[in-house]
Amino acid sequence: MEEQIAKGGGVPRHIAIIMDGNGRWAQAQGQSRIMGHRAGADAVRKVVEAASKRGVKVLTLFAFSSENWKRPQIEVNALMRLFAETIQLETPNLKSHNIKTVVVGDTSRFSTSLQESIDELQAATVDCTGLVLQIAANYGGRWDLLQVTRALAMKCAMGLMDPSAIDEKVITSYLSVADDVDLLIRTGGEKRISNFLLWQAAYSEVYFSDVLWPDFDAAQLDLAIDFFNSRERRFGMTSEQVKNQEDFKC
Ligand code: FPP
C-alpha cells in the first residue's frame, strides 16, 4: 500500500526521537525486556525508511543514554549485543538507501569490537547523500555540553581563543549534534526530555505519543508530522510578527 505523505505538506528538517516503551511492550506480551528491545530495533528500521522516504534531512535516535549504564548488567550486555548485531545486519541496507549514518556520544566506553563496528558503519556510509541518521549512544545532553565546555576552556587556557569569541555559533560547532531539532518525539507515554538534545531542542516542537516504541511505525510518524504542521513556530516573536514575515516571503 502506498504510504501517505503527511498532511500540510511540510516535513521537519530534523526529527529526534526518544524511543521509549520497549520494556513495557515486552512485559505486556509476557516476554523478556530484551525481546522488547529486539522489537524496538525492527521499529527503528521501519521509521528510518519512512523518514527517508518523506524527505527528512536528519533523524536522531536516542539508542542508549549516558544514564542507561545503571540498568541491570544483563540488559546492558544484551543492548550492546543488539547494537553490534544491528550494525552488522543493517550496514549494507543503509548504504544502499544512501543513508549516511553516524554514532554520536561517548563511544570510548564501548568494547573495542563495538567501536570497530561503529567505525566500519560510518566509513561505509560516509559518502551517502540522503538522510543523515544519527544514533545517539552513550549520549547525554549534559555530557555534550560538558565536552564542549572542556574543549573551549582548554583552547582559551592555551591562548588559542579569547573567551569573548565564544558565542552560540561557536558552541554549536563544538557539539556532537550540530543541527537544531525541529520536531522532538517521545514515545511510551512519559512526558520528559531525559537529558536528550538539551541545547539543540531549545525551539523544538515536542510531540508525546502514548504508543510504545515497538508499535511506532510510518503512520505514527505521519501523525507526529501532522502535529508539527499544526504548530506556529514563533521563536520568541509574536504571532503577528510571524504572520507578517510569512506575508513578506510571498
Ligand atoms: C527505552 O525503552 C529504550 C532503550 C533504552 C533502548 C532503545 C533501543 C532500541 C530501540 C533498540 C536498538 C536500537 C538500535 C539503534 C540498534 P525502555 O526499555 O526504557 O522501555 P520501558 O520504559 O517500557 O521500560
Side-chain angles (χ1 to χ4, degrees):
M1 196 172 64
E2 187 65 49
E3 279 171 343
Q4 262 195 323
I5 301 293
K7 290 180 215 118
V11 175
R13 186 181 173 281
H14 182 184
I15 298 181
I17 310 182
I18 301 173
M19 309 179 288
D20 195 16
N22 293 347
R24 280 166 286 158
W25 183 91
Q27 276 153 2
Q29 328 247 339
Q31 294 180 15
S32 68
R33 291 179 58 82
I34 191 59
M35 292 312 288
H37 294 312
R38 288 198 169 274
D42 292 339
V44 166
R45 192 174 307 111
K46 288 181 202 151
V47 170
V48 169
E49 199 183 314
S52 171
K53 276 191 186 155
R54 279 150 186 72
V56 173
K57 300 284 181 227
V58 185
L59 177 67
T60 308
L61 302 177
F62 209 2
F64 192 85
S65 79
S66 321
E67 290 74 33
N68 283 151
W69 297 106
K70 296 177 198 157
R71 292 193 173 205
Q73 194 59 44
I74 193 165
E75 184 170 342
V76 171
N77 292 345
L79 275 167
M80 293 299 133
R81 270 199 307 276
L82 179 61
F83 198 23
E85 270 173 44
T86 307
I87 290 176
Q88 293 291 329
L89 196 69
E90 297 299 334
T91 298
N93 290 338
L94 291 163
K95 192 175 158 70
S96 69
H97 284 89
N98 198 24
I99 298 171
K100 179 173 179 159
T101 309
V102 289
V103 175
V104 293
D106 181 6
T107 53
S108 66
R109 196 166 163 186
F110 294 148
S111 69
T112 311
S113 68
L114 181 51
Q115 290 184 48
E116 282 167 5
S117 296
I118 290 171
D119 289 345
E120 280 163 23
L121 165 69
Q122 295 183 147
T125 62
V126 71
D127 292 326
C128 293
T129 53
L131 173 73
V132 175
L133 171 63
Q134 303 186 120
I135 309 284
N138 195 19
Y139 176 87
R142 289 182 177 179
W143 164 82
D144 211 359
L145 290 167
L146 192 61
Q147 62 86 17
V148 171
T149 308
R150 282 195 183 131
L152 290 175
M154 187 73 85
K155 238 179 150 177
C156 292
M158 289 167 78
L160 299 171
M161 182 183 249
D162 192 283
S164 65
I166 300 173
D167 58 13
E168 290 191 13
K169 232 172 142 178
V170 170
I171 292 177
T172 301
S173 71
Y174 275 73
L175 287 164
S176 64
V177 173
D179 295 281
D180 277 348
V181 176
D182 297 301
L183 172 62
L184 175 63
I185 299 172
R186 183 180 186 131
T187 66
E190 305 288 359
K191 292 178 176 58
R192 41 176 188 261
I193 305 296
S194 297
N195 195 19
F196 199 23
L197 302 157
L198 298 179
W199 175 278
Q200 301 86 342
Y203 278 99
S204 301
E205 299 301 326
V206 186
Y207 179 78
F208 293 109
S209 168
D210 287 333
V211 172
L212 303 174
W213 175 251
D215 290 329
F216 201 86
D217 57 12
Q220 294 297 328
L221 182 69
D222 283 343
L223 289 178
I225 295 175
D226 285 348
F227 160 83
F228 176 81
N229 282 316
S230 74
R231 309 302 306 161
E232 180 187 59
R233 305 190 77 195
R234 292 200 286 275
F235 299 98
M237 291 183 285
T238 67
S239 190
E240 287 67 34
Q241 285 175 304
V242 173
K243 288 197 176 85
N244 286 342
Q245 244 187 7
E246 278 164 9
D247 291 347
F248 189 66
K249 269 190 227 151
C250 299

